[in-house]
Amino acid sequence: QVQLVESGGGLVQAGGSLRLSCAASGRTFSSYAMGWFRQAPGKEREFVAAITRSGGRTYYADSVKGRFTISRDNAKNTVYVQMNSLNTEDTAVYYCAAAAVGVPNTPKLYGFWGQGTQVTVSS
Protein backbone atom coordinates (compact mmCIF):
# COMPACT_ATOMS: atom_id res chain seq x y z
CA GLN A 1 0.00 0.00 0.00
CA VAL A 2 1.13 3.52 -0.78
CA GLN A 3 -0.31 6.94 0.02
CA LEU A 4 0.25 9.82 -2.37
CA VAL A 5 0.14 13.58 -1.87
CA GLU A 6 0.48 16.05 -4.76
CA SER A 7 1.79 19.57 -4.44
CA GLY A 8 3.02 22.42 -6.61
CA GLY A 9 -0.17 23.41 -8.36
CA GLY A 10 -1.26 26.99 -8.75
CA LEU A 11 -1.97 29.79 -11.17
CA VAL A 12 0.36 30.41 -14.09
CA GLN A 13 0.19 32.48 -17.25
CA ALA A 14 0.07 30.84 -20.66
CA GLY A 15 3.57 30.05 -21.84
CA GLY A 16 4.82 29.62 -18.31
CA SER A 17 6.06 26.61 -16.40
CA LEU A 18 5.12 24.68 -13.31
CA ARG A 19 6.59 21.70 -11.51
CA LEU A 20 4.34 19.29 -9.66
CA SER A 21 5.53 16.87 -7.01
CA CYS A 22 3.95 13.73 -5.64
CA ALA A 23 5.25 12.45 -2.33
CA ALA A 24 4.63 8.82 -1.47
CA SER A 25 4.51 7.20 1.91
CA GLY A 26 5.66 3.71 2.63
CA ARG A 27 8.85 1.82 2.00
CA THR A 28 7.91 0.15 -1.29
CA PHE A 29 7.66 3.18 -3.57
CA SER A 30 10.07 1.67 -6.07
CA SER A 31 7.70 -1.27 -6.55
CA TYR A 32 5.20 0.94 -8.39
CA ALA A 33 5.09 2.48 -11.77
CA MET A 34 3.83 6.04 -11.43
CA GLY A 35 1.49 8.05 -13.56
CA TRP A 36 0.11 11.55 -13.82
CA PHE A 37 -3.48 12.17 -14.86
CA ARG A 38 -5.61 15.27 -15.11
CA GLN A 39 -9.27 16.10 -15.08
CA ALA A 40 -10.79 19.32 -16.35
CA PRO A 41 -14.31 20.44 -15.43
CA GLY A 42 -16.91 18.43 -17.29
CA LYS A 43 -14.35 16.07 -18.78
CA GLU A 44 -13.11 12.56 -18.10
CA ARG A 45 -9.88 11.94 -16.29
CA GLU A 46 -7.13 11.59 -18.88
CA PHE A 47 -3.64 10.20 -19.00
CA VAL A 48 -0.75 12.65 -18.95
CA ALA A 49 2.47 10.74 -18.35
CA ALA A 50 3.88 7.61 -16.75
CA ILE A 51 7.24 6.31 -15.63
CA THR A 52 8.57 2.85 -14.92
CA ARG A 53 9.68 1.65 -11.51
CA SER A 54 13.33 2.42 -12.06
CA GLY A 55 12.68 5.56 -14.05
CA GLY A 56 14.22 4.11 -17.18
CA ARG A 57 11.18 4.57 -19.43
CA THR A 58 8.69 7.36 -19.74
CA TYR A 59 5.42 7.70 -21.62
CA TYR A 60 3.40 10.74 -22.56
CA ALA A 61 0.06 11.67 -23.97
CA ASP A 62 0.34 13.23 -27.40
CA SER A 63 -1.08 16.46 -26.05
CA VAL A 64 1.89 17.01 -23.71
CA LYS A 65 4.82 15.48 -25.60
CA GLY A 66 7.69 17.90 -25.85
CA ARG A 67 6.29 20.08 -23.08
CA PHE A 68 6.01 17.87 -20.01
CA THR A 69 8.70 15.73 -18.40
CA ILE A 70 8.02 13.07 -15.79
CA SER A 71 10.76 11.94 -13.44
CA ARG A 72 11.15 10.17 -10.13
CA ASP A 73 13.54 10.01 -7.24
CA ASN A 74 13.06 6.71 -5.48
CA ALA A 75 15.41 7.71 -2.67
CA LYS A 76 12.99 10.54 -1.87
CA ASN A 77 9.82 8.57 -2.63
CA THR A 78 8.78 11.32 -5.01
CA VAL A 79 7.61 11.60 -8.60
CA TYR A 80 7.61 14.88 -10.51
CA VAL A 81 6.20 16.36 -13.64
CA GLN A 82 7.84 19.44 -15.13
CA MET A 83 5.32 21.30 -17.24
CA ASN A 84 6.55 23.86 -19.75
CA SER A 85 4.84 25.97 -22.39
CA LEU A 86 1.57 25.71 -20.55
CA ASN A 87 -1.62 26.73 -22.27
CA THR A 88 -5.19 27.13 -21.13
CA GLU A 89 -6.02 23.59 -22.25
CA ASP A 90 -3.74 22.34 -19.49
CA THR A 91 -6.03 23.73 -16.81
CA ALA A 92 -7.19 20.81 -14.68
CA VAL A 93 -6.82 19.02 -11.40
CA TYR A 94 -3.68 16.92 -11.65
CA TYR A 95 -3.43 13.57 -9.90
CA CYS A 96 -0.57 11.19 -9.38
CA ALA A 97 -1.22 7.49 -9.20
CA ALA A 98 0.62 4.25 -8.52
CA ALA A 99 0.30 1.00 -10.44
CA ALA A 100 1.54 -2.32 -9.13
CA VAL A 101 1.53 -4.02 -12.52
CA GLY A 102 2.93 -2.69 -15.76
CA VAL A 103 2.91 0.95 -16.81
CA PRO A 104 -0.72 1.53 -17.76
CA ASN A 105 -2.18 4.62 -19.37
CA THR A 106 -5.74 4.13 -18.18
CA PRO A 107 -7.03 5.25 -14.78
CA LYS A 108 -8.74 1.92 -14.10
CA LEU A 109 -5.40 0.14 -13.85
CA TYR A 110 -3.96 2.37 -11.13
CA GLY A 111 -4.64 1.23 -7.60
CA PHE A 112 -3.62 4.26 -5.57
CA TRP A 113 -4.34 7.94 -6.08
CA GLY A 114 -3.43 11.25 -4.56
CA GLN A 115 -5.96 13.94 -3.71
CA GLY A 116 -5.06 16.11 -6.68
CA THR A 117 -3.63 19.58 -7.11
CA GLN A 118 -5.21 22.37 -9.13
CA VAL A 119 -3.36 23.85 -12.09
CA THR A 120 -4.89 26.93 -13.66
CA VAL A 121 -3.40 28.51 -16.77
CA SER A 122 -4.54 32.01 -17.60
CA SER A 123 -4.39 33.68 -21.00
Side-chain angles (χ1 to χ4, degrees):
Q1 185 175 344
V2 61
Q3 292 182 321
L4 308 171
V5 179
E6 302 94 336
S7 63
L11 177 65
V12 63
Q13 288 185 310
S17 298
L18 208 59
R19 186 195 192 204
L20 305 182
S21 299
C22 175
S25 66
R27 301 167 69 179
T28 58
F29 175 70
S30 62
S31 297
Y32 298 92
M34 299 296 297
W36 285 96
F37 293 79
R38 65 188 183 186
Q39 188 166 21
K43 296 184 178 180
E44 297 292 320
R45 189 167 299 186
E46 66 176 355
F47 171 75
V48 175
I51 189 167
T52 55
R53 291 161 180 79
S54 66
R57 292 267 191 173
T58 57
Y59 306 89
Y60 299 94
D62 289 341
S63 59
V64 306
K65 285 182 179 178
R67 300 189 298 120
F68 290 13
T69 303
I70 187 172
S71 62
R72 68 189 296 163
D73 186 340
N74 287 349
K76 296 181 178 179
N77 281 11
T78 303
V79 63
Y80 309 91
V81 59
Q82 176 68 44
M83 307 186 297
N84 299 327
S85 300
L86 287 164
N87 57 64
T88 56
E89 299 300 316
D90 298 315
T91 295
V93 176
Y94 283 71
Y95 300 88
C96 67
V101 178
V103 192
N105 62 0
T106 59
K108 295 180 180 179
L109 298 179
Y110 284 81
F112 305 97
W113 294 84
Q115 84 289 347
T117 185
Q118 176 71 49
V119 171
T120 303
V121 184
S122 63
S123 61

